[in-house]
Amino acid sequence: MTEDNGTHTPGDGSTKPDQPVEPGSVSPEEREKPAQPAPAADAEDARAKAIAAAKLAAAAKAKAAEESEPKPPWEEKPVPPEHEEAADDPDVAAVAEAFDGAVTTSDRFAGDPTLVVPRGRVEEICRHLKNQRGFAFLVDLTAIDWPGREEGRFDIVYWMHRFEDSKRLRLRTVAAEDEGVPTVSGVWKTANWMEREVYDMFGVIFEGHPNLERILTWEGFNGHPLRKDFPVEGIDTGAAIYPDVYPPGGGPILDGEGEEAAE
Amino acid sequence: MSEPLETLFEGEEMELSFGPQHPSTHGVLRVMLKLDGEKILDAKPIIGYLHRGTEKLFEKEPFPQCIPHTDRLDYVAAATNNQGFVVAMEKLLGITIPPRAAYIRMILAELQRISSHLLWLATHAIDLGAITPFFYTFREREEILDLFESYCGARLTLNTMKIGGVPFDLPDGWTATCSDYINRLPAHIAEYETLLTGNRIWKKRTIGVGVISGEEAIEWGLTGPPLRGSGVRWDIRKVFPYDRYNEVDFEIPIGNNGDTYDRYLVRMEEMRQSARIVRQCLDRLPDGPVMAKVPKVIRATEGMVYGSVEAPKGELGYFIVATEKATEPYRCHVRPPSFINLQALPDMVRGRLVPDLVAVIGTLDIVLGEIDR
């Protein structure tokens, strides 16, 4: 709608200058513009002027009322939060100081600071945050899949809480498909199942995890459901049901291979 | 059968699969037990029987259509699940909701907390052999479900919140019915307490069972009544007030010993506090719209947010990742309180007897729909 490339379609709502326009959309000033006023329209003209003046006054009054009484936020267009630099955050600064060059980026979005750290140093940084900075509580640990991203396919996200001042901090690290991430289950016990879930759903290996098994799907399930290349309809897992038809291990059957064999 | 029977009990240890079809596992939880006689040497929860791939489904739905999926997570507390999702979305989009919508949300969420706790009390007491409370708590829960039905048409999967507010205003006469119910509730809670609190069998079954200290509870990431039962005064409604919880007055009950009995007392008091919040909300219910000005097609900005609410089971969080101008979440992770709370089960039952396992599963108040997602 912003650029006029001369290909107006009837339904696009734009108004060509040479087209007749609806009277309702014309401002009072424009209405007075006609080049040739009708000879007997003086009285009409005066009336129109009076109406226009009244309208203007009303609009000005409404505007003034609006300025003095701002609209409540729920009637305004929502303003989405913006990304800011978070290097001034005391915890981000403390980590950057204690681990030289470890914090590659920091960001604050919707009030929550995030720092990005290299994969290999996750465990020591988490231990530092827990023991020296008081983040005693790991709220959440999860992953995000970005297939085809240059720096690595997976984001692993740690979300921790400090009780003293109710502060929350997010730690993010990047791992490629074949790279392991050091486990933090030795730092917070609660990370045990969270890491198992991430392993199950994304196939991220956590090095040093005491019991890295599948948790929501069953042992022998082939594939990691929350990867973006896993079909949302699911996969044919008939292996367990028809062992003579499907190969052991189950998993995605390419081009209906299994169905042919079943016939 | 040439071998005589003596060899049958020769081994000291026995493995027992408890569930997934056992009635006191509250769904399809399976616990592999290692037993010495009736003493539990080790327990290993096995979950995933109810896995439906909710997080995968979120990625294919426009933002508003994710809300019905949240109903099916903790299916006995749908309103708080809806609330968690919309609170996170409003954080992502920068929406402020009108006060009337916030108050209606709080009323619904607190009624839902009461209903969830009533269901917990009924099943927990039945597990421990007290059948009578079930009939009374379900009588009161029924009235809450009727209130939900007259508000939004559904009783369990409510789908009753929208990004930017609530879908409907309260129907005529609803506040009067609700107010009448809330006035009667404290007397009913006192009724349950006469059945259980001083009951010697109840005390023997719950005091000193499933003890977890405050430090351990934090280490295991417990939230909600299991954390408060261990003496940690922590509630999302107070720490990060969402909607308008900063405007109402309520206490956070805590326990001292971190055992099953304390968690029982905490939940009983929470019901009273919830009734108190509903009462205040009904008294102060402001006028005005129930929906903020939200675009018809919701488009997010690039970023990741985490929004959480205090669900009846603990902290329920939604971690939403959106790309620029996206209409559906790129990734939406649910932090289910039951999933995290269940993880502490082996520590809480080790060295105790099998009946104590039933008590501890009941006191953790798990819902498998939320654990398996």
Side-chain angles (χ1 to χ4, degrees):
Chain A
M1 206 71 99
T2 48
E3 45 186 340
D4 189 356
N5 52 10
T7 56
H8 288 302
T9 50
D12 70 354
S14 63
T15 311
K16 285 185 193 171
D18 55 340
Q19 272 180 342
V21 285
E22 271 180 38
S25 66
V26 183
S27 68
E29 291 87 344
E30 271 172 340
R31 194 175 278 188
E32 281 166 49
K33 267 183 197 167
Q36 307 103 5
D42 276 0
E44 193 105 329
D45 198 31
R47 224 180 104 203
K49 264 186 187 170
I51 291 172
K55 273 188 182 170
L56 273 175
K61 204 175 165 188
K63 207 178 169 189
E66 204 169 276
E67 271 164 15
S68 63
E69 229 178 289
K71 272 200 227 168
W74 49 89
E75 284 176 17
E76 302 274 5
K77 204 164 169 267
V79 187
E82 281 176 13
H83 292 272
E84 299 162 23
E85 181 58 38
D88 56 333
D89 187 275
D91 296 296
V92 175
V95 173
E97 201 190 315
F99 298 87
D100 200 22
V103 180
T104 46
T105 340
S106 64
D107 167 53
R108 187 184 285 118
F109 182 70
D112 301 325
T114 305
L115 50 146
V116 184
V117 297
R119 183 171 44 87
R121 305 183 76 175
V122 163
E123 205 242 334
E124 45 175 334
I125 291 174
C126 283
R127 200 174 287 281
H128 174 84
L129 281 167
K130 187 190 176 193
N131 296 337
Q132 262 76 49
R133 308 293 306 172
F135 287 95
F137 184 49
L138 181 69
V139 185
D140 198 9
L141 192 166
T142 189
I144 309 156
D145 183 16
W146 307 92
R149 193 173 61 169
E150 251 176 54
E151 62 257 48
R153 181 170 178 174
F154 298 108
D155 269 345
I156 319 292
V157 179
Y158 304 79
W159 182 228
M160 53 195 88
H161 179 86
R162 180 165 61 203
F163 283 95
E164 285 77 31
D165 55 354
S166 300
K167 163 99 185 262
R168 289 196 165 181
L169 183 71
R170 186 178 293 131
L171 205 68
R172 182 163 72 86
T173 188
V174 179
E177 206 168 342
D178 49 355
E179 289 173 337
V181 181
T183 178
V184 295
S185 56
V187 183
W188 297 283
K189 284 182 186 170
T190 181
N192 190 321
W193 278 20
M194 296 176 179
E195 288 184 341
R196 278 177 68 187
E197 191 194 328
V198 170
Y199 162 70
D200 190 2
M201 294 289 132
F202 291 92
V204 177
I205 306 289
F206 289 93
E207 288 159 357
H209 191 284
N211 178 29
L212 199 63
E213 294 175 1
R214 285 182 179 272
I215 186 163
L216 294 180
T217 60
W218 58 94
E219 279 309 312
F221 184 81
N222 192 357
H224 299 286
L226 281 179
R227 287 190 176 189
K228 288 283 173 185
D229 47 16
F230 189 94
V232 87
E233 310 80 52
I235 53 163
D236 191 337
T237 53
I241 312 168
Y242 308 109
D244 48 333
V245 176
Y246 296 101
I253 308 286
L254 294 172
D255 304 324
E257 226 174 79
E259 284 156 34
E260 278 168 34
E263 287 163 16
Chain B
M1 294 294 273
S2 55
E3 283 293 310
L5 276 175
E6 290 114 60
T7 56
L8 197 59
F9 296 107
E10 205 172 68
E12 292 288 311
E13 290 176 11
M14 182 173 93
E15 287 224 336
L16 180 75
S17 173
F18 184 86
Q21 311 296 348
H22 195 283
S24 70
T25 56
H26 297 220
V28 282
L29 169 68
R30 179 178 175 208
V31 187
M32 283 304 289
L33 294 174
K34 197 181 273 180
L35 299 174
D36 176 9
E38 209 179 352
K39 200 170 128 201
I40 298 170
L41 299 177
D42 206 357
K44 185 185 171 199
I46 297 170
I47 57 174
Y49 293 92
L50 208 58
H51 180 59
R52 296 152 295 174
T54 307
E55 289 177 13
K56 187 84 177 171
L57 292 174
F58 280 146
E59 293 172 10
K60 301 288 167 197
E61 302 275 23
F63 289 117
Q65 292 181 24
C66 292
I67 301 171
H69 287 297
T70 65
D71 284 336
R72 276 92 184 153
L73 293 169
D74 178 357
Y75 40 74
V76 299
T80 43
N81 289 315
N82 296 158
Q83 200 181 18
F85 185 78
V86 295
V87 162
M89 278 310 296
E90 281 152 14
K91 193 171 169 187
L92 176 68
L93 301 170
I95 297 173
T96 311
I97 65 165
R100 188 174 175 87
Y103 273 76
I104 294 176
R105 274 189 193 178
M106 278 153 61
I107 294 173
L108 294 170
E110 294 309 318
L111 286 176
Q112 187 74 81
R113 189 184 319 279
I114 296 169
S115 116
S116 169
H117 281 0
L118 287 175
L119 183 83
W120 156 81
L121 181 63
T123 52
H124 186 37
I126 279 204
D127 287 347
L128 298 185
I131 295 169
T132 322
F134 181 93
F135 303 110
Y136 296 104
T137 59
F138 265 59
R139 182 185 63 191
E140 271 74 71
R141 182 170 176 265
E142 187 67 19
E143 288 187 57
I144 295 186
L145 299 188
D146 286 344
L147 280 169
F148 285 149
E149 193 180 2
S150 63
Y151 173 64
C152 66
R155 293 163 70 80
L156 288 171
T157 48
L158 302 175
N159 186 18
T160 179
M161 290 179 198
K162 277 167 90 175
I163 299 166
V166 286
F168 325 102
D169 206 340
L170 297 174
D172 289 344
W174 197 91
T175 45
T177 323
C178 182
S179 175
D180 174 51
Y181 174 75
I182 286 301
N183 289 345
R184 282 183 283 119
L185 188 71
H188 289 309
I189 296 172
E191 239 171 52
Y192 316 142
E193 291 229 54
T194 59
L195 288 167
L196 295 172
T197 307
N199 186 320
R200 272 163 64 197
I201 307 171
W202 181 257
K203 281 178 149 176
K204 289 252 179 203
R205 287 298 304 274
T206 54
I207 291 178
V209 173
V211 180
I212 188 159
S213 70
E215 293 79 37
E216 277 290 293
I218 291 169
E219 186 70 14
W220 280 117
L222 295 189
T223 47
L227 178 64
R228 291 193 281 271
S230 301
V232 182
R233 202 180 287 275
W234 193 63
D235 190 313
I236 299 286
R237 290 174 293 174
K238 286 274 192 208
V239 180
F240 303 111
Y242 48 95
D243 289 344
R244 300 252 168 167
Y245 275 106
N246 49 351
E247 293 177 6
V248 290
D249 221 19
F250 63 100
E251 309 284 326
I252 309 172
I254 56 166
N256 294 323
N257 310 318
D259 61 3
T260 304
Y261 189 69
D262 276 15
R263 286 186 283 269
Y264 155 77
L265 291 177
V266 163
R267 286 198 178 92
M268 297 308 271
E269 185 55 33
E270 271 186 32
M271 282 197 263
R272 290 200 189 89
Q273 296 297 334
S274 290
R276 203 173 139 198
I277 296 174
V278 176
R279 159 86 8 247
Q280 292 175 53
C281 290
L282 287 172
D283 289 346
R284 296 184 205 161
L285 194 63
D287 289 327
V290 293
M291 270 296 285
K293 208 171 159 190
V294 177
K296 283 228 165 64
V297 177
I298 292 175
R299 289 191 184 278
T301 44
E302 185 266 321
M304 40 178 89
V305 292
Y306 176 91
S308 59
V309 296
E310 184 72 29
K313 274 89 186 167
E315 176 177 351
L316 172 71
Y318 287 84
F319 174 68
I320 300 173
V321 180
T323 49
E324 188 66 36
K325 296 229 183 294
T327 52
E328 70 272 339
Y330 185 81
R331 165 103 174 89
C332 177
H333 174 70
V334 186
R335 185 225 188 260
S338 299
F339 177 80
I340 315 276
N341 290 357
L342 180 64
Q343 206 184 160
L345 177 84
D347 259 21
M348 291 162 82
V349 297
R350 214 167 273 137
R352 314 262 340 166
L353 304 182
V354 175
D356 293 342
L357 172 72
V358 174
V360 172
I361 292 174
T363 192
L364 286 175
D365 193 16
I366 53 166
V367 161
L368 269 296
E370 184 174 68
I371 292 175
D372 295 341
R373 279 157 287 153

